[in-house]
Amino acid sequence: MCGIIAYAGHRPAVPVVLEGLRRLEYRGYDSAGVAWQMRGQLHIARASGKLQSLEDKLASMPAITATCAMGHTRWATHGAPVERNAHPHLSNDSGLAIVHNGIIENYRELRENLEKMGYRFYSETDTEVLINLVSEYVKSGLDVLPAFAKALKQAHGAYAVCMLSKDEPGVIYAARMSAPLIFGKGVGENFIASDIPAFLPWTREVVFLEDGQIVCASANEYSVYELDRLSLAAAPVRKIQWDMQAAQKDGFKHFMLKEIFEQPRVIRDGMTGRVQGEKVVLPELDKLPVPERLHIVACGTSYHSGLWARYLLEPWAGIACDVEIASEFRYRDMVLGEREMAVFISQSGETADTLAALRKAKAVGVPAIGLCNVVGSSIAREADAALFTQAGPEISVASTKAMSSQMLALALMAIYWGQRKGSLKADAEAALLAQLADLPALLDDNLPEMRKRAKELAQKYAQARNFFYIGRGFCWPLALEGALKLKELSYIHAEGYAGGELKHGPIALIDASLPTFALAPEDALFPKIKSNIEEIEARAGRVIALVNPGSDVSATDVWAVPALPASVAGFLILPALQLFSYEVADYLGNDVDQPRNLAKSVTVE
Ligand code: AGP
């Protein structure tokens, strides 16, 4: 996610803004910039790469005495991470500057209209469209505040923005819609930022802006308005007690927990701009044919996303799927035929095995799609088409929100190809999209309770030395993921199995010392997994059965989560597994965010 900070006060503003951006670096970024007002003009400085590049550029410029400025670190969601796409962006007449976090869904249409009016654009960003829309309304005779409000009402999607006008020295305008923005109230100075750490050294008094609010702030004054009618809004000031580390984790104990709870937003963001009415739009894939056979290639958690997606891609898009571990795919002598295609899933976009597998596919003429979270990453750059999961940086080594964002993107790809092939009926497509659209609110409602249940079970099972995870159909890849999470976080040996495999050997291991986590939602395979549970319990094996409310499963421990259609139930089962392994690891006192022996991105073989 991008980072924003703006300052109006008595200090030299640019050093304050740079310090604030440094405190937002943990959010991940690939370019940065600042804007300031001085002698009736707006000035900007931007640089791709890390903050040092921006600081070097500023050091070569004349002294900056401005006391009002704003800054931005960009995490590219679309548009390459190069200087021209870095923020701030100026309006064509250089009268306004803006920084933005979020996605304006309808920016293409707005840009076309402005181009017809003679506006020119120098970047691929939606942000540059927004600032010129404000500029157009100022030129039409509106004051800056109503012009800002009018433009924002036309922008559909998510935004947290700050804006400066050359005609209003010392005044910052800011607004938020579905992206965080916080006002920091100082003494003779005021701050606006994406996150508290940015201004924590200077003030702990904050106003959490709400969606649809605008704030107008100067060194000694501020007002908060409702966007609709520009009526004054209540703006309760709160006192922050967090230290710096806690603030970066948004008050959560670990980044992993924060990222688990970010999943509702991640799913919402993953759909933004990709669903128009009852159609999925993935322009990144329009230039490629619909494959007859699809190779899905990845490692670790990303591999599990691919295994899960096969259960959607085959019925929804009528595409035969092979899902392979990248380190095997890259060395296997395989037969690849016509109309085959490959998707390479990688959160980091830098996993060596997955990158090598992509290069192998391309070398034999198989079109390669990169499904990544990092814009500008090697896999994204070398793929024939890149799709981004827009999950924001994942700090914790254990992948959590990355998986749910990958699952969402793969579900949208299945619907997209299904509608292109005509294998998905319109009513079925509408139903699937409605199910996906309901997920963020459902997760928001249930995650806190799920965490409580996870904690209870974690304390009961944390001393186990071995664990089985079993599931069938969609739940088999989730069982594999649950086992991986427990292994990498708690260092307890865990194995994921397809429930039907138990009889073919593994059941010999069952006894009172080997608990099993059984995924048993009420789907078509429920009776089969229920039998597995009975077989295990009959051999003194303890079972944690993840079920839906009202289930008649009898197990040592039962954990009920709301029932969902099998195709999307995984979006609720996955966080339950993540929370269980998190709570076990935390209970054992392990380093949750940096487990031993592990790296966030395995860039070597
Ligand atoms: C999962 O929690 C691990 N962090 C690991 O298995 C990871 O999923 C794997 O290394 C693949 O990484 P990638 O998605 O960045 O390619």
Side-chain angles (χ1 to χ4, degrees):
M1 295 155 287
C2 306
I4 290 173
I5 177 166
Y7 174 81
H10 51 82
R11 307 169 203 267
V14 169
V16 171
V17 164
L18 287 172
E19 176 59 23
L21 292 179
R22 265 191 288 278
R23 290 164 177 276
L24 294 175
E25 283 191 294
Y26 70 90
R27 296 163 69 92
Y29 66 102
D30 40 48
S31 62
V34 293
W36 64 94
Q37 300 161 322
M38 206 154 71
R39 290 189 284 280
Q41 293 299 318
L42 284 177
H43 305 267
I44 65 170
R46 303 179 299 187
S48 59
K50 294 306 175 192
L51 278 178
Q52 190 58 52
S53 310
L54 177 63
E55 289 172 321
D56 293 347
K57 184 170 275 194
L58 287 164
S60 67
M61 298 170 87
I64 302 171
T65 56
T67 57
C68 180
M70 64 184 182
H72 184 271
T73 48
R74 180 172 183 249
W75 168 271
T77 51
H78 53 268
V82 294
E83 183 175 336
R84 74 172 179 282
N85 288 331
H87 301 203
H89 288 283
L90 287 172
S91 54
N92 273 193
D93 64 1
S94 299
L96 296 168
I98 193 170
V99 292
H100 166 223
N101 177 22
I103 299 170
I104 309 287
E105 287 176 35
N106 58 331
Y107 81 96
R108 291 185 182 87
E109 168 201 334
L110 297 172
R111 176 170 168 150
E112 282 164 19
N113 296 339
L114 288 165
E115 281 171 332
K116 285 176 194 149
M117 291 187 237
Y119 284 86
R120 295 191 55 213
F121 292 91
Y122 304 94
S123 78
E124 297 111 61
T125 67
D126 48 357
T127 308
E128 195 183 5
V129 173
L130 185 55
I131 196 61
N132 280 298
L133 190 59
V134 179
S135 178
E136 175 57 23
Y137 290 135
V138 169
K139 279 188 197 150
S140 70
L142 288 179
D143 288 340
V144 174
L145 180 59
F148 187 42
K150 187 172 180 181
L152 291 172
K153 283 181 209 166
Q154 289 209 315
H156 304 152
Y159 56 77
V161 292
C162 282
M163 182 181 77
L164 298 178
S165 162
K166 74 176 175 56
D167 299 328
E168 301 207 20
V171 179
I172 308 164
Y173 293 91
R176 68 154 284 173
M177 181 64 76
S178 306
L181 202 63
I182 302 157
F183 174 75
K185 181 174 175 295
V187 178
E189 57 188 6
N190 285 317
F191 304 78
I192 294 164
S194 312
D195 207 352
I196 289 165
F199 53 61
L200 205 55
W202 297 288
T203 182
R204 289 177 175 272
E205 299 209 336
V206 303
V207 173
F208 291 97
L209 295 174
E210 303 291 336
D211 280 354
Q213 286 186 341
I214 288 182
V215 58
C216 176
S218 57
N220 296 296
E221 292 169 355
Y222 70 97
S223 301
V224 179
Y225 303 93
E226 296 300 343
L227 173 63
D228 282 350
R229 289 184 301 283
L230 287 181
S231 52
L232 280 173
V237 178
R238 290 177 167 74
K239 186 91 172 165
I240 294 298
Q241 306 301 340
W242 294 335
D243 64 19
M244 181 64 193
Q245 267 268 325
Q248 289 184 337
K249 294 168 191 162
D250 209 9
F252 288 99
K253 187 176 179 183
H254 297 102
F255 279 112
M256 182 183 173
L257 193 58
K258 175 185 176 190
E259 288 156 5
I260 290 171
F261 277 80
E262 279 182 347
Q263 290 178 117
R265 176 191 60 74
V266 160
I267 292 168
R268 195 177 293 119
D269 287 356
M271 295 184 80
T272 300
R274 290 177 168 158
V275 179
Q276 284 175 5
E278 291 173 353
K279 282 276 170 244
V280 170
V281 289
L282 295 175
E284 303 91 334
L285 304 183
D286 287 347
K287 63 189 180 221
L288 293 176
V290 180
E292 292 300 321
R293 170 169 291 280
L294 188 67
H295 298 271
I296 305 176
V297 185
C299 300
T301 289
S302 299
Y303 168 69
H304 299 150
S305 301
L307 281 176
W308 175 87
R310 174 169 57 183
Y311 289 89
L312 296 184
L313 280 156
E314 295 200 330
W316 291 3
I319 298 172
C321 291
D322 293 314
V323 188
E324 297 199 54
I325 290 169
S327 54
E328 289 301 311
F329 181 91
R330 66 180 290 191
Y331 293 116
R332 193 162 68 84
D333 291 332
M334 62 187 69
V335 177
L336 291 172
E338 296 292 313
R339 294 194 57 84
E340 298 202 357
M341 204 176 288
V343 178
F344 298 88
I345 308 172
S346 177
Q347 187 285 129
S348 62
E350 300 299 344
T351 297
D353 285 323
T354 311
L355 180 58
L358 177 144
R359 289 170 176 164
K360 172 178 181 165
K362 290 193 68 175
V364 296
V366 171
I369 298 169
L371 178 59
C372 301
N373 190 38
V374 181
V375 177
S377 59
S378 304
I379 290 171
R381 276 186 290 105
E382 296 191 26
D384 295 303
L387 208 60
F388 296 106
T389 50
Q390 299 172 174
E394 189 174 64
I395 312 289
S396 188
V397 166
S399 237
T400 50
K401 64 175 182 175
M403 183 163 178
S404 46
S405 70
Q406 290 163 354
M407 289 161 61
L408 178 82
L410 290 160
L412 293 178
M413 288 165 71
I415 295 171
Y416 166 81
W417 276 325
Q419 70 195 43
R420 276 184 63 179
K421 279 188 80 170
S423 57
L424 196 59
K425 299 283 175 287
D427 55 347
E429 181 179 333
L432 296 171
L433 288 174
Q435 289 163 13
L436 293 171
D438 290 345
L439 289 171
L442 187 79
L443 277 165
D444 272 330
D445 292 346
N446 285 280
L447 282 173
E449 189 50 42
M450 287 164 69
R451 184 180 176 201
K452 282 193 198 121
R453 187 65 179 129
K455 208 178 184 96
E456 288 165 9
L457 294 169
Q459 290 168 6
K460 182 172 179 183
Y461 288 88
Q463 304 312 326
R465 295 316 311 142
N466 297 283
F467 240 101
F468 265 176
Y469 282 73
I470 62 171
R472 288 174 178 254
F474 284 99
C475 286
W476 168 48
L478 298 170
L480 297 178
E481 175 60 10
L484 174 62
K485 283 284 153 305
L486 192 69
K487 272 193 282 253
E488 64 179 328
L489 288 157
S490 67
Y491 316 145
I492 295 170
H493 171 251
E495 281 191 79
Y497 272 105
E501 273 297 283
L502 224 48
K503 282 198 179 67
H504 300 281
I507 200 164
L509 288 172
I510 296 294
D511 62 24
S513 69
L514 175 64
T516 299
F517 205 122
L519 305 181
E522 298 280 347
D523 59 19
L525 294 168
F526 169 71
K528 306 292 181 189
I529 200 76
K530 183 181 172 189
S531 302
N532 288 140
I533 292 169
E534 288 160 354
E535 289 155 12
I536 293 168
E537 293 267 343
R539 292 163 176 79
R542 292 181 297 161
V543 175
I544 301 172
L546 193 75
V547 300
N548 295 138
S551 170
D552 62 358
V553 161
S554 156
T556 317
D557 289 282
V558 172
W559 181 357
V561 297
L564 284 173
S567 50
V568 295
F571 287 97
L572 206 53
I573 294 170
L574 177 65
L577 298 169
Q578 295 165 347
L579 286 166
F580 177 71
S581 53
Y582 169 81
E583 293 298 348
V584 172
D586 188 39
Y587 181 78
L588 295 173
N590 291 1
D591 181 348
V592 170
D593 283 330
Q594 300 284 344
R596 68 187 185 194
N597 310 334
L598 295 183
K600 182 57 188 170
S601 177
V602 184
T603 54
V604 294
E605 271 206 71

PDB file of all heavy atoms in Angstrom, residues 496-521:
ATOM      1  N   GLY A 496      -0.576 -32.700   5.557  1.00  0.00           N
ATOM      2  CA  GLY A 496      -1.900 -32.544   4.979  1.00  0.00           C
ATOM      3  C   GLY A 496      -2.177 -33.716   4.062  1.00  0.00           C
ATOM      4  O   GLY A 496      -1.293 -34.151   3.331  1.00  0.00           O
ATOM      5  N   TYR A 497      -3.390 -34.260   4.154  1.00  0.00           N
ATOM      6  CA  TYR A 497      -3.746 -35.404   3.309  1.00  0.00           C
ATOM      7  C   TYR A 497      -5.135 -35.211   2.723  1.00  0.00           C
ATOM      8  O   TYR A 497      -6.017 -34.630   3.363  1.00  0.00           O
ATOM      9  CB  TYR A 497      -3.791 -36.703   4.144  1.00  0.00           C
ATOM     10  CG  TYR A 497      -2.476 -37.418   4.248  1.00  0.00           C
ATOM     11  CD1 TYR A 497      -1.740 -37.361   5.423  1.00  0.00           C
ATOM     12  CD2 TYR A 497      -1.959 -38.130   3.162  1.00  0.00           C
ATOM     13  CE1 TYR A 497      -0.517 -38.004   5.530  1.00  0.00           C
ATOM     14  CE2 TYR A 497      -0.731 -38.777   3.253  1.00  0.00           C
ATOM     15  CZ  TYR A 497      -0.017 -38.714   4.444  1.00  0.00           C
ATOM     16  OH  TYR A 497       1.196 -39.336   4.537  1.00  0.00           O
ATOM     17  N   ALA A 498      -5.338 -35.758   1.535  1.00  0.00           N
ATOM     18  CA  ALA A 498      -6.697 -35.921   1.022  1.00  0.00           C
ATOM     19  C   ALA A 498      -7.366 -36.964   1.912  1.00  0.00           C
ATOM     20  O   ALA A 498      -6.784 -38.025   2.170  1.00  0.00           O
ATOM     21  CB  ALA A 498      -6.645 -36.403  -0.422  1.00  0.00           C
ATOM     22  N   GLY A 499      -8.573 -36.671   2.391  1.00  0.00           N
ATOM     23  CA  GLY A 499      -9.237 -37.589   3.328  1.00  0.00           C
ATOM     24  C   GLY A 499      -9.303 -39.011   2.803  1.00  0.00           C
ATOM     25  O   GLY A 499      -9.120 -39.981   3.546  1.00  0.00           O
ATOM     26  N   GLY A 500      -9.498 -39.136   1.515  1.00  0.00           N
ATOM     27  CA  GLY A 500      -9.632 -40.479   0.935  1.00  0.00           C
ATOM     28  C   GLY A 500      -8.339 -41.276   0.989  1.00  0.00           C
ATOM     29  O   GLY A 500      -8.337 -42.486   0.795  1.00  0.00           O
ATOM     30  N   GLU A 501      -7.225 -40.612   1.281  1.00  0.00           N
ATOM     31  CA  GLU A 501      -5.939 -41.300   1.309  1.00  0.00           C
ATOM     32  C   GLU A 501      -5.668 -41.968   2.649  1.00  0.00           C
ATOM     33  O   GLU A 501      -4.764 -42.787   2.771  1.00  0.00           O
ATOM     34  CB  GLU A 501      -4.813 -40.302   1.022  1.00  0.00           C
ATOM     35  CG  GLU A 501      -4.519 -40.119  -0.462  1.00  0.00           C
ATOM     36  CD  GLU A 501      -4.026 -41.410  -1.084  1.00  0.00           C
ATOM     37  OE1 GLU A 501      -2.861 -41.777  -0.887  1.00  0.00           O
ATOM     38  OE2 GLU A 501      -4.860 -42.085  -1.746  1.00  0.00           O
ATOM     39  N   LEU A 502      -6.454 -41.605   3.672  1.00  0.00           N
ATOM     40  CA  LEU A 502      -6.151 -42.088   5.025  1.00  0.00           C
ATOM     41  C   LEU A 502      -6.002 -43.598   5.073  1.00  0.00           C
ATOM     42  O   LEU A 502      -5.049 -44.143   5.630  1.00  0.00           O
ATOM     43  CB  LEU A 502      -7.286 -41.638   5.964  1.00  0.00           C
ATOM     44  CG  LEU A 502      -6.893 -41.072   7.323  1.00  0.00           C
ATOM     45  CD1 LEU A 502      -5.796 -40.041   7.211  1.00  0.00           C
ATOM     46  CD2 LEU A 502      -8.086 -40.501   8.043  1.00  0.00           C
ATOM     47  N   LYS A 503      -6.945 -44.286   4.401  1.00  0.00           N
ATOM     48  CA  LYS A 503      -6.962 -45.762   4.466  1.00  0.00           C
ATOM     49  C   LYS A 503      -5.747 -46.366   3.756  1.00  0.00           C
ATOM     50  O   LYS A 503      -5.390 -47.506   3.978  1.00  0.00           O
ATOM     51  CB  LYS A 503      -8.204 -46.297   3.755  1.00  0.00           C
ATOM     52  CG  LYS A 503      -9.506 -46.191   4.535  1.00  0.00           C
ATOM     53  CD  LYS A 503     -10.553 -47.165   3.902  1.00  0.00           C
ATOM     54  CE  LYS A 503     -11.860 -47.113   4.652  1.00  0.00           C
ATOM     55  NZ  LYS A 503     -12.512 -45.784   4.483  1.00  0.00           N
ATOM     56  N   HIS A 504      -5.091 -45.552   2.896  1.00  0.00           N
ATOM     57  CA  HIS A 504      -4.000 -46.152   2.095  1.00  0.00           C
ATOM     58  C   HIS A 504      -2.654 -46.044   2.806  1.00  0.00           C
ATOM     59  O   HIS A 504      -1.624 -45.892   2.177  1.00  0.00           O
ATOM     60  CB  HIS A 504      -3.963 -45.461   0.723  1.00  0.00           C
ATOM     61  CG  HIS A 504      -5.236 -45.604  -0.029  1.00  0.00           C
ATOM     62  ND1 HIS A 504      -5.592 -46.748  -0.708  1.00  0.00           N
ATOM     63  CD2 HIS A 504      -6.301 -44.764  -0.143  1.00  0.00           C
ATOM     64  CE1 HIS A 504      -6.788 -46.607  -1.228  1.00  0.00           C
ATOM     65  NE2 HIS A 504      -7.246 -45.410  -0.912  1.00  0.00           N
ATOM     66  N   GLY A 505      -2.699 -46.017   4.123  1.00  0.00           N
ATOM     67  CA  GLY A 505      -1.427 -46.025   4.865  1.00  0.00           C
ATOM     68  C   GLY A 505      -1.437 -45.125   6.080  1.00  0.00           C
ATOM     69  O   GLY A 505      -1.197 -45.588   7.205  1.00  0.00           O
ATOM     70  N   PRO A 506      -1.698 -43.821   5.924  1.00  0.00           N
ATOM     71  CA  PRO A 506      -1.533 -42.896   7.055  1.00  0.00           C
ATOM     72  C   PRO A 506      -2.317 -43.281   8.304  1.00  0.00           C
ATOM     73  O   PRO A 506      -1.874 -43.015   9.414  1.00  0.00           O
ATOM     74  CB  PRO A 506      -2.020 -41.554   6.495  1.00  0.00           C
ATOM     75  CG  PRO A 506      -1.850 -41.665   5.032  1.00  0.00           C
ATOM     76  CD  PRO A 506      -2.075 -43.109   4.698  1.00  0.00           C
ATOM     77  N   ILE A 507      -3.471 -43.970   8.157  1.00  0.00           N
ATOM     78  CA  ILE A 507      -4.283 -44.266   9.346  1.00  0.00           C
ATOM     79  C   ILE A 507      -3.528 -45.179  10.304  1.00  0.00           C
ATOM     80  O   ILE A 507      -3.843 -45.253  11.498  1.00  0.00           O
ATOM     81  CB  ILE A 507      -5.652 -44.857   8.940  1.00  0.00           C
ATOM     82  CG1 ILE A 507      -6.654 -44.706  10.090  1.00  0.00           C
ATOM     83  CG2 ILE A 507      -5.519 -46.290   8.462  1.00  0.00           C
ATOM     84  CD1 ILE A 507      -8.099 -44.897   9.671  1.00  0.00           C
ATOM     85  N   ALA A 508      -2.452 -45.793   9.819  1.00  0.00           N
ATOM     86  CA  ALA A 508      -1.649 -46.646  10.719  1.00  0.00           C
ATOM     87  C   ALA A 508      -1.004 -45.805  11.816  1.00  0.00           C
ATOM     88  O   ALA A 508      -0.623 -46.312  12.870  1.00  0.00           O
ATOM     89  CB  ALA A 508      -0.558 -47.359   9.913  1.00  0.00           C
ATOM     90  N   LEU A 509      -0.885 -44.521  11.571  1.00  0.00           N
ATOM     91  CA  LEU A 509      -0.220 -43.644  12.541  1.00  0.00           C
ATOM     92  C   LEU A 509      -1.174 -43.166  13.631  1.00  0.00           C
ATOM     93  O   LEU A 509      -0.737 -42.636  14.653  1.00  0.00           O
ATOM     94  CB  LEU A 509       0.349 -42.418  11.812  1.00  0.00           C
ATOM     95  CG  LEU A 509       1.564 -42.641  10.916  1.00  0.00           C
ATOM     96  CD1 LEU A 509       1.869 -41.370  10.141  1.00  0.00           C
ATOM     97  CD2 LEU A 509       2.767 -43.053  11.759  1.00  0.00           C
ATOM     98  N   ILE A 510      -2.453 -43.312  13.413  1.00  0.00           N
ATOM     99  CA  ILE A 510      -3.414 -42.707  14.337  1.00  0.00           C
ATOM    100  C   ILE A 510      -3.353 -43.371  15.708  1.00  0.00           C
ATOM    101  O   ILE A 510      -3.450 -44.592  15.842  1.00  0.00           O
ATOM    102  CB  ILE A 510      -4.850 -42.824  13.777  1.00  0.00           C
ATOM    103  CG1 ILE A 510      -4.975 -42.018  12.483  1.00  0.00           C
ATOM    104  CG2 ILE A 510      -5.862 -42.335  14.801  1.00  0.00           C
ATOM    105  CD1 ILE A 510      -4.827 -40.523  12.640  1.00  0.00           C
ATOM    106  N   ASP A 511      -3.174 -42.527  16.705  1.00  0.00           N
ATOM    107  CA  ASP A 511      -3.366 -42.964  18.104  1.00  0.00           C
ATOM    108  C   ASP A 511      -3.578 -41.697  18.933  1.00  0.00           C
ATOM    109  O   ASP A 511      -3.668 -40.590  18.384  1.00  0.00           O
ATOM    110  CB  ASP A 511      -2.174 -43.796  18.612  1.00  0.00           C
ATOM    111  CG  ASP A 511      -0.871 -42.987  18.610  1.00  0.00           C
ATOM    112  OD1 ASP A 511      -0.933 -41.736  18.662  1.00  0.00           O
ATOM    113  OD2 ASP A 511       0.194 -43.598  18.504  1.00  0.00           O
ATOM    114  N   ALA A 512      -3.604 -41.831  20.235  1.00  0.00           N
ATOM    115  CA  ALA A 512      -3.975 -40.681  21.088  1.00  0.00           C
ATOM    116  C   ALA A 512      -2.958 -39.556  21.001  1.00  0.00           C
ATOM    117  O   ALA A 512      -3.245 -38.416  21.361  1.00  0.00           O
ATOM    118  CB  ALA A 512      -4.120 -41.160  22.522  1.00  0.00           C
ATOM    119  N   SER A 513      -1.766 -39.865  20.478  1.00  0.00           N
ATOM    120  CA  SER A 513      -0.741 -38.803  20.458  1.00  0.00           C
ATOM    121  C   SER A 513      -0.746 -38.011  19.154  1.00  0.00           C
ATOM    122  O   SER A 513       0.022 -37.060  19.010  1.00  0.00           O
ATOM    123  CB  SER A 513       0.642 -39.447  20.628  1.00  0.00           C
ATOM    124  OG  SER A 513       0.937 -40.197  19.435  1.00  0.00           O
ATOM    125  N   LEU A 514      -1.590 -38.444  18.192  1.00  0.00           N
ATOM    126  CA  LEU A 514      -1.563 -37.775  16.885  1.00  0.00           C
ATOM    127  C   LEU A 514      -2.925 -37.145  16.587  1.00  0.00           C
ATOM    128  O   LEU A 514      -3.824 -37.824  16.127  1.00  0.00           O
ATOM    129  CB  LEU A 514      -1.196 -38.760  15.771  1.00  0.00           C
ATOM    130  CG  LEU A 514      -1.265 -38.197  14.347  1.00  0.00           C
ATOM    131  CD1 LEU A 514      -0.257 -37.085  14.159  1.00  0.00           C
ATOM    132  CD2 LEU A 514      -1.029 -39.291  13.316  1.00  0.00           C
ATOM    133  N   PRO A 515      -3.107 -35.851  16.884  1.00  0.00           N
ATOM    134  CA  PRO A 515      -4.384 -35.202  16.592  1.00  0.00           C
ATOM    135  C   PRO A 515      -4.541 -34.916  15.105  1.00  0.00           C
ATOM    136  O   PRO A 515      -3.558 -34.789  14.378  1.00  0.00           O
ATOM    137  CB  PRO A 515      -4.318 -33.904  17.387  1.00  0.00           C
ATOM    138  CG  PRO A 515      -2.882 -33.664  17.663  1.00  0.00           C
ATOM    139  CD  PRO A 515      -2.166 -34.953  17.559  1.00  0.00           C
ATOM    140  N   THR A 516      -5.795 -34.824  14.663  1.00  0.00           N
ATOM    141  CA  THR A 516      -6.115 -34.533  13.270  1.00  0.00           C
ATOM    142  C   THR A 516      -7.032 -33.325  13.186  1.00  0.00           C
ATOM    143  O   THR A 516      -7.995 -33.228  13.944  1.00  0.00           O
ATOM    144  CB  THR A 516      -6.820 -35.742  12.614  1.00  0.00           C
ATOM    145  OG1 THR A 516      -5.940 -36.860  12.644  1.00  0.00           O
ATOM    146  CG2 THR A 516      -7.213 -35.432  11.163  1.00  0.00           C
ATOM    147  N   PHE A 517      -6.687 -32.397  12.296  1.00  0.00           N
ATOM    148  CA  PHE A 517      -7.547 -31.248  12.020  1.00  0.00           C
ATOM    149  C   PHE A 517      -8.345 -31.636  10.768  1.00  0.00           C
ATOM    150  O   PHE A 517      -7.772 -31.795   9.690  1.00  0.00           O
ATOM    151  CB  PHE A 517      -6.682 -30.014  11.734  1.00  0.00           C
ATOM    152  CG  PHE A 517      -7.355 -28.700  12.003  1.00  0.00           C
ATOM    153  CD1 PHE A 517      -6.812 -27.807  12.902  1.00  0.00           C
ATOM    154  CD2 PHE A 517      -8.530 -28.353  11.367  1.00  0.00           C
ATOM    155  CE1 PHE A 517      -7.421 -26.568  13.155  1.00  0.00           C
ATOM    156  CE2 PHE A 517      -9.153 -27.136  11.597  1.00  0.00           C
ATOM    157  CZ  PHE A 517      -8.596 -26.241  12.503  1.00  0.00           C
ATOM    158  N   ALA A 518      -9.634 -31.865  10.899  1.00  0.00           N
ATOM    159  CA  ALA A 518     -10.455 -32.350   9.767  1.00  0.00           C
ATOM    160  C   ALA A 518     -11.367 -31.230   9.274  1.00  0.00           C
ATOM    161  O   ALA A 518     -12.128 -30.644  10.058  1.00  0.00           O
ATOM    162  CB  ALA A 518     -11.284 -33.543  10.218  1.00  0.00           C
ATOM    163  N   LEU A 519     -11.288 -30.937   7.974  1.00  0.00           N
ATOM    164  CA  LEU A 519     -12.119 -29.876   7.383  1.00  0.00           C
ATOM    165  C   LEU A 519     -13.397 -30.520   6.868  1.00  0.00           C
ATOM    166  O   LEU A 519     -13.371 -31.297   5.910  1.00  0.00           O
ATOM    167  CB  LEU A 519     -11.344 -29.188   6.252  1.00  0.00           C
ATOM    168  CG  LEU A 519      -9.955 -28.637   6.656  1.00  0.00           C
ATOM    169  CD1 LEU A 519      -9.291 -27.950   5.466  1.00  0.00           C
ATOM    170  CD2 LEU A 519     -10.061 -27.693   7.840  1.00  0.00           C
ATOM    171  N   ALA A 520     -14.514 -30.212   7.534  1.00  0.00           N
ATOM    172  CA  ALA A 520     -15.758 -30.945   7.245  1.00  0.00           C
ATOM    173  C   ALA A 520     -16.944 -30.015   7.038  1.00  0.00           C
ATOM    174  O   ALA A 520     -17.955 -30.101   7.751  1.00  0.00           O
ATOM    175  CB  ALA A 520     -16.028 -31.916   8.377  1.00  0.00           C
ATOM    176  N   PRO A 521     -16.840 -29.065   6.073  1.00  0.00           N
ATOM    177  CA  PRO A 521     -18.013 -28.229   5.786  1.00  0.00           C
ATOM    178  C   PRO A 521     -19.107 -29.057   5.123  1.00  0.00           C
ATOM    179  O   PRO A 521     -18.844 -30.140   4.594  1.00  0.00           O
ATOM    180  CB  PRO A 521     -17.460 -27.189   4.810  1.00  0.00           C
ATOM    181  CG  PRO A 521     -16.336 -27.876   4.119  1.00  0.00           C
ATOM    182  CD  PRO A 521     -15.725 -28.791   5.146  1.00  0.00           C
TER     183      PRO A 521
END
